[in-house]
Amino acid sequence: MLFLDELPEFGQQVLEVMRQPLEDRTVTISRAQGTTTYPANFMLVTAMNPCPCGYYGDPTKECTCSESTVSRYQKRISGPLLDRVDIFVEVPRVEYEKLAAVTEGESSEMVRDRVEYTRAAQTRRFEGTRLVCNAEMTPTEVREHCQSKLDEQAQSLLRLAMAQLSLSARAFHRVLKLARTIADMAGSDAIAAQHLAEAIQYRQRVRG
Ligand SMILES: [Zn+2]
C-alpha cells in the first residue's frame, strides 16, 4: 500500500508518473543506457484537504481561501489521475460530542473477518488463474465475472449511470470491479442494483 498524505503538495510530474503503475502495475525507467521495467503493484491510498485552509465546505467554520485558490488547489490533481481512483470518501470534521462519546464502533476483528470472507470468494473465483483479486481483472474477466452477473435492475442502472455521469471506459470497468467486490462482501454471486449503486456513489463527484 502506498499512502500519500496531502496529495496536492506532491509535484504534478510525480503524480502523473503514477498513472502507469496504477494501470499496468509496472514502472518503466528509461535512461541513456537503456530501459528497464520493474513490478510496481500497490494499492494507492491518499488524502487531501478540500482547500489550502482546510475549511472549504465546512458547516461551522468559514473557508478563508478565494474561489480561484480553491479551484487552483483542486486542479493540481489531474482528471486522468482521479479517474484511476475507485473510492472517494469525504471526511467531515468530527464533532467533540462524537469524539467524546463512549459507544464503540466495530472491532478490528469484525472488520478483518469481513475482509477475509470477501477475499476467500475471490480466491475461489480466480483459482487456477494468475489473478489474485477483483482489482486485477482485465476487460475479459470483467465481462465474465461482472457484466454477465448483473441482474436486470443493475443493468438498467448501469445504462443510466453511463449516460448521466459520462463515465470513461476505464471508469466503467472500475465501477464494475468495485460492485463485484461489494457483492462478494454480501455473499452474492449476482451483482444487484444496490451493489452497483454503492460502487457508483464512491466515484468522484463533479467538482463545483
Ligand atoms: Zn479554504
Side-chain angles (χ1 to χ4, degrees):
M1 183 184 290
L2 175 66
F3 178 64
L4 301 181
D5 199 9
E6 303 278 4
L7 189 65
E9 303 301 331
F10 288 83
Q12 213 138 34
Q13 203 72 37
V14 176
L15 296 179
E16 291 313 301
V17 160
M18 300 228 304
R19 279 158 57 175
Q20 191 207 356
L22 281 173
E23 205 60 28
D24 310 333
R25 301 175 194 283
T26 59
V27 65
T28 303
I29 296 173
S30 301
R31 292 287 180 271
Q33 292 85 351
T35 300
T36 312
T37 300
Y38 293 104
N41 191 357
F42 60 90
M43 180 192 283
L44 174 68
V45 180
T46 176
M48 67 180 280
N49 279 314
C51 67
C53 88
Y55 287 104
Y56 186 76
D58 191 285
T60 53
K61 197 165 164 177
E62 209 173 326
C63 164
T64 54
C65 312
S66 70
E67 279 295 327
S68 64
T69 310
V70 175
S71 149
R72 218 175 321 121
Y73 182 78
Q74 295 190 351
K75 278 190 185 130
R76 284 194 214 165
I77 319 297
S78 76
L81 179 61
L82 289 174
D83 205 37
R84 289 165 169 83
V85 178
D86 294 338
I87 301 179
F88 287 80
V89 183
E90 263 184 51
V91 188
R93 200 148 45 89
V94 182
E95 282 155 24
Y96 173 75
E97 287 74 22
K98 279 192 190 153
L99 277 179
V102 283
T103 48
E104 281 177 37
E106 279 183 307
S107 67
S108 293
E109 281 75 21
M110 285 166 80
V111 177
R112 187 179 58 208
D113 283 351
R114 199 158 61 224
V115 171
E116 283 176 348
Y117 173 82
T118 311
R119 278 283 178 150
Q122 298 176 35
T123 305
R124 283 194 297 277
R125 172 172 304 127
F126 299 123
E127 216 181 331
T129 73
R130 64 193 162 76
L131 303 186
V132 174
C133 63
N134 290 340
E136 295 178 355
M137 287 189 280
T138 66
T140 313
E141 285 109 19
V142 169
R143 223 169 292 132
E144 184 187 342
H145 300 297
C146 306
Q147 270 168 287
S148 69
K149 303 283 183 168
L150 293 166
D151 71 14
E152 215 169 296
Q153 263 189 308
Q155 280 178 32
S156 39
L157 175 65
L158 184 61
R159 257 195 304 276
L160 196 72
M162 282 302 289
Q164 294 197 342
L165 305 173
S166 48
L167 296 180
S168 67
R170 180 179 302 111
F172 172 78
H173 285 116
R174 287 181 169 274
V175 161
L176 282 172
K177 287 193 242 185
L178 186 55
R180 174 69 275 163
T181 301
I182 293 166
D184 288 345
M185 215 179 250
S188 169
D189 182 48
I191 298 177
Q194 81 253 29
H195 305 138
L196 188 66
E198 186 177 342
I200 290 168
Q201 59 97 25
Y202 284 131
R203 288 217 65 87
Q204 179 218 359
R205 312 288 197 287
V206 178
R207 283 177 282 180

